[in-house]
Structures are given as C-alpha cells and as structure tokens.
Amino acid sequence: MNTMKMSLEQYLALRRSLGFKLQSQESRLRNFVEYAQARGEQYITAKLAVEWAEHQCGPRTWSSRLSTVRSFARHLILTDPKTEIPPSGIFAPQRRPRPFIYSDDQIADPLKAMPLLHPGSFRGVTYHYFFGLLASTGMRFSEAARLLREDADMETGALTIRETKFGKSRYIPLHTSTWDALRRYCIERDLLPSRRASRFFFTGVHRRKSKAKPQPLSPLKAPRNCIIPRGSQAQSYCVHSRSPKVSILRQCRENQSW
C-alpha cells in the first residue's frame, strides 16, 4: 500500500508539472487509496475501483469518479503490471443539467431593483453594475470580483482578465452600452474617497474588493433570500425548480447590450 501512495505522489507531481491543477482529482485519489488500504488491497483492480466509485456518493458522480481512477491506473500499470485499468462504459456519463436561460426582462428587472436594496448606501449601486457586467459579458463571478482598476480600460472599452481558468489571460471587448454604464459607475464610485482609494474596480467596504457572493446576494434567487423587495415584479421570475444562480448568466449572455 505504501507503494500505491508513493505512486500517487509521483502521478500528481508529474501531472502538475504538465500544467494540471488536479484539485478535485487529488482529493478523490487520496480517498481511493485510503479506501483500498482499509480493505487490504495493494493493487488497483476493476472491482475495487467500481466499488469505490459507488461508495458514499450519488449516481451522478460515479462515472467521473471512476474516470479519475482510470487515469491513475493507466499511469500505474507502466510500472506495476498487476494493475487493472477499470473499463469505460460501466456507468452512464455525467451530464450537466440543462441551464435556465433568462430573458432580457428577467435580467433587467432585478438590476433595476438593485439600488433599492440598500437605501442610502453605495452597495446597491455597486451590485447593479457588478451583476450588469456579468449579464452583458458572460464573465465569471470571480473574474469580475477580482477586476482591478488598471484592468478596465475606459478609453478603449476593453477589460483585461488576468490568469483566469487554466492560468490564462484574455481581453474582453465591451458593447458600447456596457462601456457607457461602467464609465457612469466610475464617476459615481470616485465621488467617495474611501472607494476612490481602492485598487479594485468594484469596491466593497473598508477599501476591499466587493464582498458580493453568488449564494446570498444573487438577485435571481429571490425571494428565498429576501433580496428583492416585496411586491417586486422580479419575484414572479424565481420559479425555477433548480434555484438558478448568477453563474448561469455566463451561459446565456455574451457581449450583449446593457
């Protein structure tokens, strides 16, 4: 079993040297090795891998869990011929649920309500422009939250997204209406000294980046979290059984007008 643990460390090091992060895969494989150790198994077998894939999780993840072990087994069999590579096709492939596609009105109505969420505070204004940018560009939530002032070129109307998924950077050209909206936000933001001093484009309290998070602050999950005021027309839209999240915006909106 120590040999399997050592092989796992070598496998992870090799894959990461090639640029793979393996965050979830590492956790799964360490759990698999512990599972094998608890059963006194010293080699990967197809039966062991299938049993582990089904252990303490639902059917939706069985295929991906087994695929993770299969990749490790392909590496291990090069030095350990007793290793068995679990066959594919045992479980149905994991599929993402069909996204909920918002209409223009379903996006516009919560945005209009944002400034009313925190009367007398700039927070509601920040959320209005923050979520408006997500809806019009398809950016990831974390990308917009980490956006720096120098990353938003208000002269050319382009955003620089630095070291995002897979460590890559990219440029996002903005629609004219989005560009105009962000310039209005800049003017309003810089009237407040504490926010003007922040290095982040979207600022929260204490000169820090916006603390908005998808779970509690999403206007599209109202009224469960009481984000939209009672009587708001936006409440009638929140009927999707899967409780749509802000992250879905990037699946249905890309470089659209504000």
Side-chain angles (χ1 to χ4, degrees):
M1 186 51 55
N2 290 332
T3 301
M4 188 183 296
K5 287 184 177 180
M6 293 175 57
S7 298
L8 176 58
E9 298 299 333
Q10 296 172 358
Y11 171 76
L12 294 174
L14 174 62
R15 296 277 287 175
R16 286 193 170 121
S17 69
L18 298 175
F20 295 94
K21 294 184 178 180
L22 303 177
Q23 295 177 347
S24 61
Q25 290 88 341
E26 178 180 3
S27 176
R28 285 181 173 181
L29 289 174
R30 292 193 184 283
N31 182 271
F32 170 74
V33 171
E34 292 176 359
Y35 180 87
Q37 182 179 24
R39 282 154 181 75
E41 299 288 347
Q42 300 184 7
Y43 309 101
I44 297 179
T45 64
K47 180 181 178 181
L48 177 67
V50 171
E51 289 178 350
W52 172 83
E54 297 176 317
H55 181 65
Q56 295 182 343
C57 64
R60 292 180 58 184
T61 63
W62 291 352
S63 178
S64 62
R65 282 164 61 87
L66 188 60
S67 177
T68 300
V69 177
R70 187 182 301 114
S71 297
F72 178 44
R74 288 196 184 104
H75 167 81
L76 198 58
I77 199 173
L78 297 176
T79 57
D80 190 346
K82 294 183 179 180
T83 300
E84 295 180 7
I85 299 178
S88 59
I90 295 180
F91 303 121
Q94 183 176 359
R95 300 183 184 277
R96 292 185 177 182
R98 183 178 180 181
F100 178 82
I101 307 300
Y102 294 103
S103 68
D104 289 347
D105 290 340
Q106 289 173 330
I107 294 175
D109 187 68
L111 290 182
K112 292 178 182 178
M114 279 293 173
L116 304 177
L117 299 181
H118 302 276
S121 170
F122 193 69
R123 184 178 301 178
V125 176
T126 300
Y127 292 166
H128 168 81
Y129 289 103
F130 182 88
F131 290 116
L133 181 63
L134 294 184
S136 60
T137 63
M139 293 175 62
R140 295 180 176 87
F141 190 97
S142 59
E143 293 172 348
R146 293 196 302 263
L147 195 67
L148 302 179
R149 283 176 177 262
E150 59 264 30
D151 295 335
D153 190 339
M154 292 294 97
E155 297 298 325
T156 62
L159 301 179
T160 302
I161 310 301
R162 304 181 187 277
E163 297 184 3
T164 179
K165 193 172 183 180
F166 303 118
K168 298 180 179 180
S169 299
R170 71 182 191 278
Y171 294 99
I172 298 180
L174 300 177
H175 189 276
T176 303
S177 62
T178 306
W179 185 7
D180 292 338
L182 292 185
R183 284 191 292 187
R184 290 195 300 270
Y185 168 73
C186 289
I187 294 174
E188 296 182 55
R189 176 199 61 198
D190 290 346
L191 292 176
L192 304 174
S194 61
R195 294 178 183 271
R196 185 171 61 245
S198 174
R199 61 190 292 260
F200 291 99
F201 189 80
F202 292 104
T203 60
V205 296
H206 306 304
R207 301 183 182 181
R208 298 175 183 174
K209 66 182 178 182
S210 175
K211 291 187 176 181
K213 294 184 181 298
Q215 184 66 21
L217 295 175
S218 166
L220 302 176
K221 295 191 70 174
R224 177 176 299 178
N225 294 316
C226 302
I227 298 302
I228 302 301
R230 291 186 179 181
S232 169
Q233 187 180 9
Q235 290 187 356
S236 62
Y237 298 135
C238 303
V239 296
H240 192 243
S241 60
R242 291 188 179 275
S243 299
K245 300 178 181 179
V246 170
S247 59
I248 298 178
L249 287 175
R250 69 183 307 269
Q251 296 176 323
C252 56
R253 306 287 293 181
E254 185 175 356
N255 206 28
Q256 300 294 318
S257 60
W258 197 305

